[in-house]
Amino acid sequence: MDKSAQNLVNRSKTLVITGSSRGIGRATALLAAERGFNLCINYHTNKMAAQNVLEEVLEFGVHAVTAQADVSVEAEVKRLFETVDTELGELTHLVNNAGTLVPARRVDEMDAERLVKVFQTNVVSSFLCAREAIKRMSTRYGGQGGAIVNVSSAASRTGSAGVYVDYAASKGALDTFTYGLAQEVAQEGIRVNAVRPGFIDTEIHELSELPGRAEQVAKTVPMRRNGTAEEVATAILWLLSDEASYTSGAWLDVAGAR
Ligand code: NAP
């Protein structure tokens, strides 16, 4: 059976991946399409990159759309999920992947504007998207259940002292959110988990304004290398899948033993 015919069998899985124009989100979109998920490819500013991902995933014979939305803004999140309702049908899965990093600073150099941006983009967005997903997936609202994966970070454990404790703390909030929400919706057919990647080679690190950081960090990782977006995508897809049917409220570290 060719890829397209195989995926006709699995048309009922519909996944929103926030921030899937690049990096981990893009790799997750490609693997999800290969496994038969219909997809909403959300992006913030990079329309061309999102369009390229769309073209790649359509080759797997799934339904897919791109949707621009700043997921830290409530009205835009509502619009994003309404697009899914209209264009793709019943939502079954969500990956809260969109996130941002900030220039390296000590805590005594951080202002409120920076802190609000980090927590709005990395934490508030995930609450808002989960809210919209639950309203569609929960058996409490007549949905068929589903799964949510939050993209946290190993930083939630390490603390990122001297560079971005605010980013690390925002991922700590995501860990707690994951565990709390998993319990809240456990009887409504929804599993909620997180992946905690270590240092993954993507463009996000340009935002830290720390040249050479990738090489420095790699030396401290027990495996002596950084990870790839594809290695994180594999973990996300397992947590989304029925193979993880008794896994909920879990944090899966994908960090080379760090
Ligand atoms: P990336 O390559 O910089 O990609 C970020 C993606 O998020 C892009 O698609 C971007 O869209 C989107 N995005 C950013 N802000 C957004 C917003 N407000 N609304 C909607 N989309 C937004 O980043 P990445 O490395 O793949 O990181 C993805 C996630 O993994 C983040 O949550 C990050 O914290 C987490 N993580 C990354 C690492 C790592 O080492 N790379 C490690 C641990 C955790 P545009 O293309 O339109 O800008």
Side-chain angles (χ1 to χ4, degrees):
M1 204 184 292
D2 68 20
K3 279 190 294 193
S4 155
Q6 177 71 52
N7 288 335
L8 280 174
V9 179
N10 299 321
R11 275 281 157 77
S12 60
K13 297 182 291 184
T14 297
L15 166 65
V16 172
I17 308 173
T18 65
S20 42
S21 52
R22 296 184 280 122
I24 293 168
R26 172 182 173 276
T28 304
L30 293 179
L31 193 56
E34 193 179 329
R35 298 192 182 172
F37 284 84
N38 298 322
L39 282 170
C40 176
I41 299 154
N42 160 250
Y43 66 100
H44 183 203
T45 55
N46 204 332
K47 185 175 182 177
M48 183 72 82
Q51 191 62 32
N52 289 341
V53 177
L54 177 67
E55 285 169 20
E56 288 180 278
V57 303
L58 288 176
E59 287 184 19
F60 290 97
V62 297
H63 293 302
V65 291
T66 60
Q68 191 284 329
D70 179 344
V71 289
S72 67
V73 177
E74 188 162 18
E76 298 193 24
V77 170
K78 283 187 179 168
R79 177 167 53 72
L80 169 65
F81 283 81
E82 283 164 8
T83 301
V84 175
D85 296 339
T86 312
E87 304 286 329
L88 294 174
E90 190 171 1
L91 180 71
T92 54
H93 296 80
L94 166 68
V95 177
N96 275 318
N97 168 73
T100 196
L101 203 58
V102 269
R105 297 277 185 280
R106 284 169 47 97
V107 169
D108 49 16
E109 297 167 330
M110 293 176 187
D111 60 22
E113 186 184 350
R114 166 188 167 118
L115 295 171
V116 168
K117 184 183 172 206
V118 169
F119 280 83
Q120 194 87 21
T121 307
N122 294 356
V123 184
V124 174
S125 64
S126 298
F127 274 78
L128 295 175
C129 290
R131 182 190 71 195
E132 293 305 311
I134 290 163
K135 284 182 180 171
R136 288 158 174 83
M137 299 184 331
S138 167
T139 53
R140 182 190 177 107
Y141 295 104
Q144 59 170 304
I148 297 173
V149 174
N150 297 319
V151 182
S152 174
S153 171
S156 74
R157 295 182 282 113
T158 65
S160 301
V163 282
Y164 30 70
V165 171
D166 48 355
Y167 171 85
S170 76
K171 296 300 186 178
L174 266 191
D175 288 356
T176 306
F177 170 55
T178 301
Y179 191 54
L181 180 61
Q183 294 172 68
E184 203 165 286
V185 296
Q187 292 179 45
E188 299 171 27
I190 303 175
R191 295 181 299 102
V192 186
N193 292 290
V195 287
R196 298 195 296 197
F199 196 105
I200 308 299
D201 285 321
T202 70
E203 292 171 31
I204 202 169
H205 299 290
E206 291 167 16
L207 297 170
S208 72
E209 298 173 0
L210 290 170
R213 182 157 167 82
E215 294 73 25
Q216 281 169 13
V217 173
K219 288 181 199 154
T220 70
V221 177
M223 282 193 187
R224 293 292 184 270
R225 69 170 177 89
N226 296 324
T228 66
E230 289 71 24
E231 287 173 314
V232 181
T234 306
I236 292 172
L237 263 295
W238 180 72
L239 289 169
L240 290 177
S241 78
D242 290 342
E243 288 181 3
S245 55
Y246 198 54
T247 302
S248 195
W251 309 311
L252 179 51
D253 293 320
V254 186
R258 193 164 173 226

